Amino acid sequence: MAGAAAALLAALAACGGGGTELVESRAGTGDWVWSLPAHFPTPKVPADNPMTVAKVELGRFLFYDRRLSGNGQQACAGCHLQDKAFTDGRARAVGSTGELHPRSAQHLGNVAYNATLTWANPSLVTLERQMENPLFGESPIEMGINDGNKEAVLQRLRDDSSIAGYPARFRAVFPESAQPVTWANVIKAISAFQRSLISGNSRYDQWLQGQAVLNAAEQRGMNLFFGEKAECFHCHGSFNFNDQIVHAGSRIVETPFHNTGLYNLGGTGAFPEPNRGVFELSAKADDMGRFRAPSLRNVEVTAPYLHDGSAATLDEVVAIYAAGGRHIASGPLAGDGRTNPFKSDLVSRIDLNAQEQADIVAFLKTLTDQEFLTHARHADPFAPK
Ligand code: HEC
Ligand code: HEC
């Protein structure tokens, strides 16, 4: 991985820097054109849900539409806010009926490339399937759509006379169906919008292309991040700063999950229910506490951190890694995560002084992409202009 990163840097350096174009256009399906930085692969798109400009725009309206929840109170965007890279700023998400979700809402930057979706579910591999959770899930309730109100919610969209103009918009995007306002089409459109959420214009990306400078602290942090001492790159080393990537050209897709030593209830290695990671689904001892390494893009704005929002700041997260896990001295979650028997071999005490920890945090903050966080094409289309 370090070799790959070095090769990438060399290749980019060979491009000459300075006047290089930051994004390139790559043909998608239909009239869709991807705008991607040169170091990003082309996203994979399911054959039965091609991207089109009109579909992405329909999906954007639906993503921001509160009418899409059972009680009309909550849109996808209620838990996925653009200025927070589409997470919500809470430790744990709150659904449309006030129910507390056991986990923290995830950011959606570059979600098109995620090989599996959510914090710890190896079997959830498409955005289309993932969406059934927030829409129809009952434990916990997110959007609160169920058999009792499913038709009524669709009827709201069929009767729509807002600026969304759903009847005409659905007809234009799905011309083959007599009644295009269906759940399958709602899901397709929102998935297409989510695939359009590409974040690749951070200062780090600009630096890669010779168009920005990183200061001394950021460069030291970067060297630690990609070096063998801190080992962050083993799990966060891809162009998307994670280790589960799928794209249009992928052949073998790896989907590792890791126990990073956050808990160790009663010294048994257990994580608290219902947040035991892949173990919740597999019930295999080895899967205890295993979670997907999140993409660290825009991580500066996605606090609080970890699957349960249990770390408030980046300094706190880096300090946990430096200690080789988290020791919780007292209370119901007491236990020494550093000695969790299921912990990954890649997480062990790192000899990092305060300056080095601060340097890593400084580097992580270079992954913030202001354009992504503010661009009109991802923003709420219902907001007054
Ligand atoms: C109540 C808050 C809430 C609402 C509303 C909500 N989400 Fe989420 N979202 C979450 C949480 C929490 C997770 C993490 C779920 C988990 O790991 O179990 C998540 C995860 C995701 C993921 C996985 C991201 C990844 O990196 O794997 C996607 C995609 C997503 N949500 C899309 C949506 C869409 C689309 C909608 C609307 C149909 C929606 N969400 C509505 C809270 C919410
Ligand atoms: C063994 C793989 C692995 C290594 C090595 C690793 N991470 Fe992680 N990282 C993860 C996993 C898995 C999570 C999610 C943990 C959870 O919430 O249970 C995570 C979460 C994070 C988060 C929180 C992100 C968020 O959105 O909540 C940050 C920040 C982070 N890691 C930074 C680092 C840094 C910096 C290093 C190097 C010092 C590092 N990681 C090394 C796997 C790893």
Side-chain angles (χ1 to χ4, degrees):
M1 286 277 226
L8 175 65
L9 294 185
L12 286 162
C15 295
T20 42
E21 184 57 39
L22 199 59
V23 293
E24 56 185 44
S25 296
R26 260 176 262 167
T29 44
D31 61 352
W32 182 256
V33 178
W34 295 104
S35 275
L36 299 167
H39 53 290
F40 276 37
T42 305
K44 181 177 170 179
V45 175
D48 65 352
N49 191 19
M51 302 286 286
T52 66
V53 171
K55 191 189 285 177
V56 168
E57 190 62 0
L58 170 60
R60 180 162 74 112
F61 275 101
L62 292 166
F63 185 89
Y64 280 97
D65 200 331
R66 285 200 293 263
R67 289 174 291 178
L68 205 62
S69 54
N71 61 11
Q73 298 298 308
Q74 192 172 49
C76 304
C79 295
H80 296 287
L81 284 68
Q82 182 183 14
D83 65 346
K84 297 184 164 43
F86 296 95
T87 171
D88 64 355
R90 296 171 184 269
R92 290 164 55 191
V94 179
S96 59
T97 58
E99 197 173 330
L100 194 59
H101 197 294
R103 284 173 293 282
S104 194
Q106 293 172 296
H107 80 83
L108 301 179
N110 301 327
V111 73
Y113 297 105
N114 285 352
T116 70
L117 294 155
T118 72
W119 282 103
N121 188 341
S123 63
L124 214 44
V125 301
T126 66
L127 287 167
E128 284 78 2
R129 284 300 308 283
Q130 189 279 327
M131 214 179 306
E132 295 169 11
N133 290 345
L135 288 173
F136 310 123
E138 293 191 329
S139 65
I141 292 179
E142 295 182 53
M143 315 282 280
I145 295 162
N146 52 43
D147 287 343
N149 61 25
K150 233 174 167 173
E151 267 309 300
V153 173
L154 283 185
Q155 200 57 44
R156 288 179 199 153
L157 307 182
R158 290 172 183 155
D159 295 342
D160 172 50
S161 57
S162 76
I163 57 161
Y166 286 129
R169 224 180 259 280
F170 270 91
R171 263 198 311 280
V173 175
F174 302 105
E176 65 287 352
S177 24
Q179 175 46 274
V181 184
T182 61
W183 281 112
N185 287 344
V186 166
I187 288 172
K188 282 182 174 174
I190 298 179
S191 297
F193 170 65
Q194 294 191 100
R195 290 193 175 95
S196 79
L197 299 176
I198 300 291
S199 176
N201 193 14
S202 66
R203 275 180 51 234
Y204 167 77
D205 298 291
Q206 293 166 2
W207 172 83
L208 273 184
Q209 308 218 6
Q211 302 202 348
V213 285
L214 300 186
N215 67 33
E218 292 162 346
Q219 296 208 28
R220 288 193 304 266
M222 177 172 63
N223 291 335
L224 284 164
F225 188 93
F226 287 112
E228 289 296 343
K229 179 169 155 188
E231 303 204 292
C232 314
F233 71 94
H234 287 294
C235 305
H236 299 284
S238 75
F239 70 93
N240 200 24
F241 291 85
N242 60 359
D243 63 352
Q244 286 202 12
I245 293 285
V246 65
H247 59 84
S250 311
R251 300 227 195 106
I252 300 164
V253 178
E254 289 179 37
T255 60
F257 292 84
H258 316 276
N259 178 323
T260 55
L262 297 175
Y263 296 99
N264 187 1
L265 301 184
T268 62
F271 273 45
E273 286 182 58
N275 284 337
R276 295 172 297 178
V278 176
F279 180 87
E280 295 289 347
L281 296 167
S282 74
K284 283 200 217 137
D286 279 1
D287 286 335
M288 177 59 75
R290 285 201 180 179
F291 290 84
R292 192 189 74 188
S295 157
L296 301 181
R297 285 189 170 272
N298 299 299
V299 73
E300 179 179 13
V301 301
T302 66
Y305 302 104
L306 306 177
H307 64 269
D308 54 2
S310 59
T313 63
L314 286 174
D315 301 293
E316 218 176 306
V317 177
V318 172
I320 292 171
Y321 282 112
R326 180 166 61 186
H327 181 207
I328 301 176
S330 60
L333 300 176
D336 191 349
R338 296 172 301 184
T339 58
N340 188 306
F342 305 109
K343 193 178 73 169
S344 163
D345 293 342
L346 296 167
V347 176
S348 51
R349 212 187 84 76
I350 314 165
D351 193 12
L352 293 176
N353 63 33
Q355 181 64 54
E356 290 171 315
Q357 294 188 34
D359 291 345
I360 292 177
V361 171
F363 169 64
L364 292 175
K365 291 182 178 174
T366 70
L367 304 178
T368 307
D369 176 350
Q370 284 303 336
E371 184 193 20
F372 177 71
L373 302 177
T374 55
H375 203 288
R377 70 177 168 266
H378 307 318
D380 181 357
F382 296 104
K385 293 265 149 36

